[in-house]
């Protein structure tokens, strides 16, 4: 057996006022063999001629020792062989890992690029490290946002007083009076449509098709579930729909015994299902054009209406057959889209179209001169009413039979009287967007879903106030307040929003001159800096929301901005490969250029400050881990071994010894978008590219580490942050524009799946060299 001892020439880890320490010496137990090893750094290639000359003056190796494997192989006994971990099959994976048997460093490969991470001194035996599932769990506490931008019929009011809507993979049941939320989270991809059963308890929700992290398809289906218990009652149509479920509706005349579904395939196949047995009763192709809505006649289950691009169809369902009759526009101009329809108590069908017209449809005798003998009755326009400027996105019949309509371009909500006379109307603010959905609330109250992802509550006699708000475009920027229950988000919609964790409300918002991509609060909590896509960063006053100052660093987008723990420095990471340093004074109100960190060969992705505000650790797009001496003006620390024992005030870098175990199998280096260590240093949260939030034990320094996995987002998760007291975790979605607030618990609460990152990580331990 070969014994290895590690001797350090200096007991200090990394000091800015000391000369670089010599490389550590590895001494074999055999006195006859003494070798001094030079540990290579990914930054060695950045050395200039002077550094290279200095290297030539160092003691030469009698034999080039690029690998400790050769040392170990000489005297390897049976005991040491038993301690070796077996090699996992690599196959086509882009990543492998090596463990240096002396316990000095870990080497992993991402897309063929070696990444060396040095083991801290407090890790006495790396092989004895155990990474287990954390005791902490996550429970979805609140969802910020509403999918009104591209969805219809997605807002309903239950008899319980809860408002039901969906966003991402979550159906939200929002208690308006109690200010509470409950969540149905059994969908595996984005929810696309929603229908309420006539009993007011059961709900049907349809999802889009998707792909899991292993490339396996997630089939679209319809979930029928109980809104009281949130238990799934039936899974309908898994494997029967293509691309997704576009629209659906329960029958009304027979107490909801049947469900009509139209999928998103090219032919937009319509099918009718028995909700009791979950079996399909009839199926037919509808049209190659987009279908926007479907519904049963309230008095006749055999009559179904669907509408969409340039059509309205009246279907007759009889047993296993579905036959259609197209609505005849006749002398009236055919609109580009029939956006919506409703049934009046009299049985008439009303449609709203993209021309702003309400059309009244009725049966008429067939024109035998045109259609020939034997032609049956047709559905024709009985009346046309000009109601809005631009599209009519929604029609709603109140309990008293009165008609409500909501316009797109004019943002008006109109109450119609007999003979289509305007009785009352109101207009929502331009900031809220166009009217997408209307629902009658209690009494004269209205609930309005808008195209800018807000839900408003109001009436014709009073103002409309938002009860749900959200972003409208891709979301990346996130930071939490250092001492208050607040967090900030910024997105491609150019909005900066500050949210109140306790009251679940929007504290304030600002529209910026450009897209916000990253942000950070000053340690005083009085100002916040936001980095933009243009290379400019702006400092905002948290009390007045006014600009404090603005500066441009480079001409490419900024990916990370971070204040030092003492508040005296600001680091700005850019896509031009530089980290710009600024001194900060007057509690974050004055800034002066201090230096620039140069050495990365790709764009900056993440950075963290040391606890003493003297050093920075940074990651880049080509998987580098570099360290910088800030007091020395941002000088690159060549010997990264010296930084292995530095303590960091935060850990958001996705590459490093303490977190490399979070990487999934077969990773291409982009599968993890962000991570965040809790302030108590017990857990680390991870945002991945597969719509999942993970919770790992910290430190996570072993490959194939297990984690609690949570699904709720419908797009890549772009960021995660713990709040100042670790009570909550905030996560942001990309294309789903969702912000989710998770409560951190120590029990077994929360709908999670415990997995090992081995199912997602090609970090295979192999005996190798540093």
């Amino acid at each position: 057996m070969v014994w290895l001892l590690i001797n350090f020439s200096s007991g200090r880890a990394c000091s800015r006022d000391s000369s670089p320490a010599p490389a550590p010496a590895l001494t074999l137990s055999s006195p006859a063999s003494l070798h001094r090893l030079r540990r290579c750094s990914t930054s060695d290639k950045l050395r200039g001629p002077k550094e290279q000359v200095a290297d030539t003056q160092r003691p030469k190796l009698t034999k080039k020792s690029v690998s400790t494997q050769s040392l170990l192989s000489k005297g390897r006994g049976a005991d040491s062989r038993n301690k070796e971990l077996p090699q996992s099959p690599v196959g086509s994976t882009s990543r492998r890992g090596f463990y240096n048997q002396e316990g000095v460093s870990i080497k992993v490969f991402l897309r063929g690029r070696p990444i060396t991470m040095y083991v801290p001194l407090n890790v006495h035996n790396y092989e004895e490290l155990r990474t287990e599932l954390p005791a902490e769990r996550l429970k979805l506490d609140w969802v910020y946002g509403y999918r009104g931008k591209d969805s219809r019929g997605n807002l309903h009011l239950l008899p319980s007083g809860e408002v039901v809507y969906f966003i991402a993979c979550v159906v939200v049941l929002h208690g308006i009076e109690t200010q509470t939320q409950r969540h149905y989270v059994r969908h595996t991809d984005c929810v696309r449509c929603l229908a309420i059963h006539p009993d007011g308890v059961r709900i049907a929700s349809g999802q889009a098709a998707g792909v899991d992290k292993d490339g396996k398809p997630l089939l679209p289906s319809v979930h029928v579930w109980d809104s009281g218990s949130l238990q799934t009652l039936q899974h309908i149509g898994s494997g029967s729909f293509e691309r997704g479920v576009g629209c659906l509706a329960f029958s009304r005349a027979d107490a909801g015994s049947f469900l009509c579904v139209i999928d998103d395939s090219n032919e937009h196949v319509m099918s009718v299902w028995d909700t009791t047995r979950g079996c399909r009763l009839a199926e037919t192709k509808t049209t190659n054009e987009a279908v926007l809505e479907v519904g049963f006649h309230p008095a006749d289950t055999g009559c179904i209406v669907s509408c969409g691009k340039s059509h309205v169809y009246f279907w007759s369902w009889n047993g296993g057959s579905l036959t259609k009759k197209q609505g005849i526009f006749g002398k009236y101009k055919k609109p580009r889209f029939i956006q919506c329809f409703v049934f009046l108590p009299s049985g008439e069908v009303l449609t709203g179209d993209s021309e702003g017209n309400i059309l009244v449809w009725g049966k008429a005798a067939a024109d035998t001169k045109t259609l020939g003998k034997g032609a049956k009755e047709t559905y024709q326009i009985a009346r046309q009413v000009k109601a809005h400027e631009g599209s009519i996105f929604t029609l709603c019949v109140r309990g008293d039979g009165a008609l409500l309509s909501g316009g797109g371009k004019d943002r008006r909500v109109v109450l119609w009287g007999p003979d289509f006379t305007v009785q009352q109307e109101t207009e929502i603010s331009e900031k809220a967007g166009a009217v997408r959905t209307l629902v009658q609330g209690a009494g004269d109250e209205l609930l309005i879903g808008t195209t800018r992802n807000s839900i408003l509550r109001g009436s014709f006699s009073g103002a409309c106030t938002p009860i749900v708000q959200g972003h409208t475009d891709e979301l990346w920027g996130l930071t939490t307040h250092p001492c208050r229950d607040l967090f900030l988000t910024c997105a491609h919609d150019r909005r900066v929003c500050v949210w109140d964790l306790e009251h679940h409300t929007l504290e304030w918002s600002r529209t910026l001159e450009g897209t916000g991509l990253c942000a950070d609060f000053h340690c005083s909590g009085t100002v916040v800096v936001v980095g933009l896509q243009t290379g400019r960063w702006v400092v905002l006053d948290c009390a007045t929301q006014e600009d404090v100052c603005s500066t441009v660093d480079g001409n490419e987008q900024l990916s990370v901005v971070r204040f030092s723990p003492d508040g005296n420095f600001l680091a700005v990471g850019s896509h031009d490969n530089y980290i710009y340093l600024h001194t900060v004074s007057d509690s974050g109100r004055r800034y002066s250029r201090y230096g620039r960190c140069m050495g990365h060969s790709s764009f900056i992705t993440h950075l963290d400050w040391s606890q003493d505000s003297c050093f920075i650790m940074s990651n880049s797009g080509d998987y580098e881990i570099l360290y910088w001496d800030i007091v020395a003006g941002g000088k690159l620390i060549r010997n990264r071994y010296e930084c292995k024992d530095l303590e960091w005030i935060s850990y958001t870098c996705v590459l490093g010894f303490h977190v490399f175990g979070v990487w999934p199998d077969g990773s291409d280096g982009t599968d993890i978008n962000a991570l965040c260590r809790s302030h108590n240093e017990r857990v680390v949260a991870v945002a991945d590219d597969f719509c999942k939030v993970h919770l790992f034990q910290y430190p996570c320094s072993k490959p194939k580490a297990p984690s609690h996995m949570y699904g709720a987002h419908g797009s890549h998760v772009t960021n995660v942050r713990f709040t100042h007291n670790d009570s909550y975790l905030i996560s942001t979605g990309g294309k789903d524009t969702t912000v989710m607030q998770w409560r951190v618990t120590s029990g077994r609460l929360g709908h999670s799946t415990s997995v090992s990152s081995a199912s997602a990580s090609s970090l295979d331990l192999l005996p190798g060299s540093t």
Side-chain angles (χ1 to χ4, degrees), residues 170 362 437 491 525 570 743:
V170 183
T437 306
L570 173 67
R743 184 184 297 276

Side-chain angles (χ1 to χ4, degrees), residues 124-182:
H124 302 294
N125 189 331
Y126 177 78
E127 288 188 353
E128 293 182 356
L129 281 181
R130 294 292 178 266
T131 303
E132 301 175 345
L133 283 170
E136 290 79 2
R137 296 272 188 136
L138 299 179
K139 177 178 173 58
L140 187 59
D141 182 70
W142 201 266
V143 176
Y144 299 86
Y146 157 77
R147 186 168 180 172
K149 185 177 180 179
D150 60 353
S151 298
R152 292 169 169 79
N154 57 350
L155 183 64
H156 301 271
L157 182 65
L158 296 181
S160 63
E162 293 175 304
V163 177
V164 183
Y165 57 92
F166 60 81
I167 185 170
C169 300
V170 183
V171 182
V172 181
L173 295 92
H174 183 109
I176 301 177
E177 301 299 337
T178 59
Q179 279 300 298
T180 58
Q181 278 189 359
R182 297 187 298 134

Side-chain angles (χ1 to χ4, degrees), residues 575-755:
H575 269 228
D576 63 7
N577 305 357
Y578 299 134
I579 299 174
Y580 297 89
L581 302 174
H582 299 263
T583 57
V584 183
S585 58
D586 194 15
S587 297
R589 296 180 178 277
R590 295 182 181 274
Y591 298 81
S592 177
R593 175 70 69 83
Y594 173 73
R596 186 171 63 172
C597 299
M598 298 180 291
H600 274 296
S601 54
S602 185
F603 57 90
I604 313 302
T605 58
H606 307 83
L607 66 85
D608 290 292
W609 284 90
S610 62
Q611 290 188 0
D612 59 6
S613 300
C614 295
F615 302 95
I616 284 178
M617 170 176 58
S618 59
N619 292 166
S620 63
D622 59 352
Y623 325 122
E624 286 181 321
I625 309 172
L626 298 184
Y627 300 87
W628 313 88
D629 189 335
I630 303 307
V631 179
K635 181 181 178 181
L636 175 66
I637 299 174
R638 302 289 182 180
N639 189 355
R640 293 185 295 116
Y641 179 83
E642 296 176 343
C643 302
K644 70 185 187 312
D645 294 309
L646 283 176
E647 295 184 354
W648 306 99
I649 193 65
S650 63
Y651 214 118
T652 60
C653 286
V654 297
L655 295 172
F657 172 78
H658 295 85
V659 297
F660 79 87
V662 308
W663 281 88
D665 220 4
S667 174
D668 63 356
T670 64
D671 297 329
I672 292 179
N673 296 314
L675 62 77
C676 182
R677 183 193 67 192
S678 61
H679 296 88
N680 60 19
E681 301 187 12
R682 289 176 53 87
V683 293
V684 58
V686 172
D688 74 14
D689 238 13
F690 309 105
C691 315
K692 299 296 187 290
V693 174
H694 296 259
L695 199 64
F696 290 87
Q697 174 188 312
Y698 181 87
C700 189
S701 303
K702 282 278 190 173
K704 305 179 182 179
S707 71
H708 298 304
M709 182 175 68
Y710 301 87
H713 284 284
S715 174
H716 52 291
V717 186
T718 56
N719 217 331
V720 284
R721 284 291 185 274
F722 285 96
T723 56
H724 67 99
N725 56 6
D726 292 332
S727 297
Y728 296 97
L729 175 76
I730 310 299
S731 63
T732 58
K735 294 295 186 181
D736 66 20
T737 71
T738 313
V739 181
M740 296 192 181
Q741 178 176 318
W742 307 81
R743 184 184 297 276
V744 181
T745 69
S746 56
R748 291 194 169 273
L749 296 175
H751 176 63
S752 73
T753 304
S754 298
V755 298

Side-chain angles (χ1 to χ4, degrees), residues 9 149 196 282 294 384 475 499 623 658:
S9 60
K149 185 177 180 179
I196 309 299
V294 67
Q384 176 177 286
L475 180 60
W499 308 87
Y623 325 122
H658 295 85

